[in-house]
């Protein structure tokens, strides 16, 4: 992620220089986009670091949800620093057209940026694809529902960057052909709308995980199968898996244990079973209670 950050800084500087030399609204929008990405990289690195802190007395199930807090801040930054600036610059260009400069430098910067962003996008896709296949999801579905907000943000921002570069190039070419700055201004506004839409989607998804998102039904079914396969468990009558961090869940359930032990032994067996479940790296915590005799059993 540090390499991606340094790459974004270099691209942002190049776009800013090109925007200053050409006076292009869409080029300035792309510069704002890249600077927003630089800020986002810092927030996402913070999200990764802080969400991996081990459990302690104040955070018994860890700090996984910090990933959604910092990713939410990053998405807000994309909306404000990228989307709002791009739209305002485009509107300003429509109201007060300015003479354009030599666009050759802008084309060179856009072409180099497109190559770099394509490499970054291909890498994020390669990282996402195996996990999507293991979860029996298509790639787009996985990016939208994954509990890893940094993975989703990187894929979404790389895709938006590529589309934004194409919009900027199209706006520049149309302005050069027509001699009007209107196409360039419209391209800037479209880039802002694109960034705003991506930011809103990311904000909403992070919000859902922050307030408590239950896992995908397929994951819940797999967990139920694993629980029923344990020799200590006779049946399960309640099961909830809540996402508490990237690839991390809290399991709450009611189970009926095999045998007919006295209450004191049952409590010990429950705590032992909870500890066994927590051995999984994907489980941040497990809280089990005894099922009532009249509760219906869950089945896969």
């Amino acid at each position: 992620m540090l390499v991606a950050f340094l790459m974004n800084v270099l691209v942002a500087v190049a776009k800013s220089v090109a925007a200053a030399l050409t006076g292009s609204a869409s080029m300035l929008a792309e510069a704002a986009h890249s600077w927003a990405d630089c800020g986002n990289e810092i927030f996402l690195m913070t999200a990764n670091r802080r969400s991996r802190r081990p459990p302690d007395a104040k955070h018994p199930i860890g700090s996984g949800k910090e990933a959604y807090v910092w990713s939410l801040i990053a998405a807000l930054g994309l909306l404000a620093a990228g989307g709002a600036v791009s739209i305002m610059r485009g509107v300003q260009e429509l109201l007060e057209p300015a003479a354009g400069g030599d666009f050759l430098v802008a084309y060179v910067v856009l072409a180099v940026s497109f190559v770099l962003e394509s490499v970054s996008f291909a890498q994020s896709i390669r990282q996402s694809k195996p996990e999507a296949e293991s979860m029996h999801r298509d790639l787009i579905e996985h990016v939208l529902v994954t509990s890893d907000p940094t993975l989703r943000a990187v894929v979404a921002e790389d895709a938006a960057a590529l589309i934004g570069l194409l919009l900027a190039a199209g706006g520049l070419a149309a302005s050069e052909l027509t001699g009007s700055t209107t196409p360039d201004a419209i391209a800037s506004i479209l880039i802002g709308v694109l960034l705003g839409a991506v930011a809103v989607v990311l904000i909403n998804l992070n919000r859902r995980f922050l307030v408590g998102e239950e896992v995908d039904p397929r994951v819940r079914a797999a967990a139920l199968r694993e629980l029923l396969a344990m020799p200590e468990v006779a049946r399960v009558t309640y099961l909830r898996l809540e996402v508490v961090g990237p690839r991390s869940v809290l399991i709450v359930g009611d189970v009926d244990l095999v045998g007919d032990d006295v209450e004191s032994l049952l409590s010990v067996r429950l705590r032992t079973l909870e500890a066994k479940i927590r051995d999984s790296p994907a489980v941040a915590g497990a809280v089990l209670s005894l099922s009532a005799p009249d509760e219906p059993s869950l089945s896969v």
Side-chain angles (χ1 to χ4, degrees), residues 51-129:
S51 65
R52 291 176 179 173
R53 290 182 301 182
D56 55 33
K58 290 185 177 180
H59 309 91
I61 59 173
S63 303
K65 285 197 174 183
E66 284 233 29
Y68 307 116
V69 174
W70 292 101
S71 297
L72 180 63
I73 295 173
L76 288 170
L78 183 65
L79 180 64
V85 169
S86 300
I87 292 173
M88 286 190 296
R89 182 65 186 90
V91 171
Q92 182 182 7
E93 184 69 19
L94 285 175
L95 297 176
E96 301 174 7
D102 183 3
F103 290 161
L104 178 59
V105 63
Y107 290 134
V108 172
V109 170
L110 289 174
V112 173
S113 299
F114 192 86
V115 171
L116 295 176
E117 294 289 359
S118 296
V119 172
S120 178
F121 183 64
Q123 182 178 357
S124 62
I125 291 299
R126 280 197 299 271
Q127 292 175 345
S128 306
K129 200 169 183 179

Side-chain angles (χ1 to χ4, degrees), residues 4-20 27-43 73-74 76-83 85-86 109 113 117 157 161 191 195:
F5 171 72
L6 295 175
M7 188 182 299
N8 274 330
V9 170
L10 292 175
V11 169
V13 170
K15 288 179 179 178
S16 298
V17 172
M27 203 68 232
L28 182 62
E30 275 301 298
H33 181 184
S34 290
W35 284 117
D37 282 349
C38 292
N40 289 352
E41 291 288 347
I42 295 175
F43 288 126
I73 295 173
L76 288 170
L78 183 65
L79 180 64
V85 169
S86 300
V109 170
S113 299
E117 294 289 359
E157 289 174 11
I191 291 170
L195 297 181

Side-chain angles (χ1 to χ4, degrees), residues 49 52 63 83 85 96 166 179 190 195 203 234 273 281 300:
R49 181 174 59 84
R52 291 176 179 173
S63 303
V85 169
E96 301 174 7
L166 293 175
L190 290 176
L195 297 181
I203 289 169
L273 183 58
V300 181

Side-chain angles (χ1 to χ4, degrees), residues 124-140:
S124 62
I125 291 299
R126 280 197 299 271
Q127 292 175 345
S128 306
K129 200 169 183 179
E131 187 174 329
E133 291 174 348
S134 69
M135 302 293 290
H136 304 290
R137 299 169 178 157
D138 62 57
L139 190 60
I140 295 177

